[in-house]
Amino acid sequence: METLTNPNSLSQLQALIIAGLQKPESGCIPFAIVPEGYEFKSTESLQEKPNRIRATVNLLTSDSFIDYIKRFIDPRTVIFADPSAVKFTAVLDYHETNADPEWAQHKAIYACPLSENWVAWNKYNKSKMNQLEFAEFIETHISDIAPINEVNQGFSGPQLLEMVLAFQETRKSEFKSVRRLQDGTFSFAFSDEKGGGNTSLPEKILLSLPPFHNGVYYALEARLRYRLRDGDLQLWYELIEPERILEDAFKNLITDISSKLPDTLMLEATAP
C-alpha cells in the first residue's frame, strides 16, 4: 500500500484513498502510515448511507425480539441463548460457514426483564412482618393469587383477602396459641380489649405470576409461616422453588422462539 510521504501531494492522497477502497488480498489487513501530527479518519459519515448496520437493540419482550429478527434476518443470523445470564442475543450479521468473516456488529438483545409482580414477591420472600405489614402486603398483591380451578383447589383471592383483613384488626392483640385445622388452615387465638377471638390463614397459597415482563403466567406455590413469641405474632411467606419456575420459563422461551424462527440457528451459549 502506498504511504503518505508528502501531505501536500494531491496525487499521493488520491492514491491512498484508491488503495483503501480496494479489496485486500486474502489474509491481508489494509493499513495506512501517516506522518506525526496527522490522523487517518474514515469518511463514511460523509456518505449518503453507511457501509453496514452497527446497532445493539435491547428488546423488552420476546415478541418484540422475534419481530425485530424477522425484519433483518438473513442466512448469517445466529441466536445465542444463555441460561446462566437469562438472556438471548441475536447476531444478525454473524459469520457464515465457508464464507468471508463478518463484522458481527448488528445485535438484538432480549435480557428477559423480570415482571414487577415477580420482583415484588421475591423481594419480600422470607421477610418477617407483623400482622399489619403482612396483611397490607397481601392486600396490595391480592390480584396475584391464582383463581380457583383444576390447578388451584385451595383459597381464592377474595377468601384470602377476607382472612388477611381480619389480621389488620388484631394489631393490638395478644396472640395465645396456634393450631392446625383439618381444612389446611392455621387458627390463631388472640385476646384484646373486646375479649378476643380467632383468625386463620392457609398453610399454602398459589400465586399466578409472569416471571418476565409481559410474559406467560406460571403457578408458583408459597408456604405461609408464623412465629409466636410472648404474645407477639410474626408472619411471612416462603416461595417454593422460584428458581425452577425461571428455568422452565427460559426453556419454554427457547422452544417458542425456535418455533417462530425455524430457519435461524440457535445455540445455548454465551454470545461473543
Side-chain angles (χ1 to χ4, degrees), residues 72-254:
F72 294 99
I73 192 172
D74 66 31
R76 301 172 298 171
T77 301
V78 177
I79 300 174
F80 298 89
D82 186 351
S84 61
V86 196
K87 181 171 70 172
F88 293 86
T89 302
V91 184
L92 293 116
D93 56 345
Y94 200 64
H95 320 296
E96 287 187 85
T97 305
N98 301 323
D100 292 336
E102 297 289 349
W103 290 96
Q105 291 185 330
H106 186 193
K107 300 180 180 181
I109 296 175
Y110 172 48
C112 303
L114 299 174
S115 70
E116 292 183 0
N117 320 55
W118 187 271
V119 170
W121 282 94
N122 276 271
K123 179 180 179 181
Y124 293 99
N125 186 30
K126 301 180 182 179
S127 297
K128 296 178 176 61
M129 315 175 204
N130 62 41
Q131 64 265 34
L132 180 59
E133 293 169 336
F134 182 82
E136 289 177 344
F137 177 85
I138 296 296
E139 184 180 6
T140 300
H141 301 281
I142 198 67
S143 61
D144 295 329
I145 306 300
I148 297 297
N149 51 33
E150 295 180 357
V151 177
N152 183 20
Q153 297 294 325
F155 294 84
S156 66
Q159 287 176 313
L160 183 61
L161 180 58
E162 183 178 353
M163 293 178 174
V164 165
L165 290 177
F167 274 93
Q168 292 182 340
E169 303 301 323
T170 64
R171 58 186 181 274
K172 297 181 180 179
S173 302
E174 181 179 355
F175 285 83
K176 300 295 185 180
S177 63
V178 182
R179 61 191 180 97
R180 191 178 187 279
L181 305 180
Q182 291 184 349
D183 62 357
T185 62
F186 290 107
S187 178
F188 300 85
F190 64 89
S191 61
D192 56 22
E193 63 275 7
K194 298 179 182 179
N198 292 275
T199 186
S200 59
L201 279 177
E203 183 180 10
K204 285 183 182 180
I205 58 175
L206 186 66
L207 308 175
S208 180
L209 300 174
F212 306 129
H213 171 68
N214 282 353
V216 176
Y217 281 72
Y218 287 80
L220 176 61
E221 284 188 305
R223 293 187 184 92
L224 300 187
R225 299 299 197 190
Y226 68 89
R227 175 179 293 171
L228 182 59
R229 180 178 297 174
D230 299 328
D232 181 48
L233 178 65
Q234 287 186 315
L235 296 163
W236 68 94
Y237 61 88
E238 295 179 0
L239 300 177
I240 300 176
E241 296 185 326
E243 300 82 4
R244 182 182 60 80
I245 300 297
L246 281 177
E247 291 174 3
D248 288 347
F250 189 79
K251 289 178 181 178
N252 289 336
L253 276 176
I254 291 178

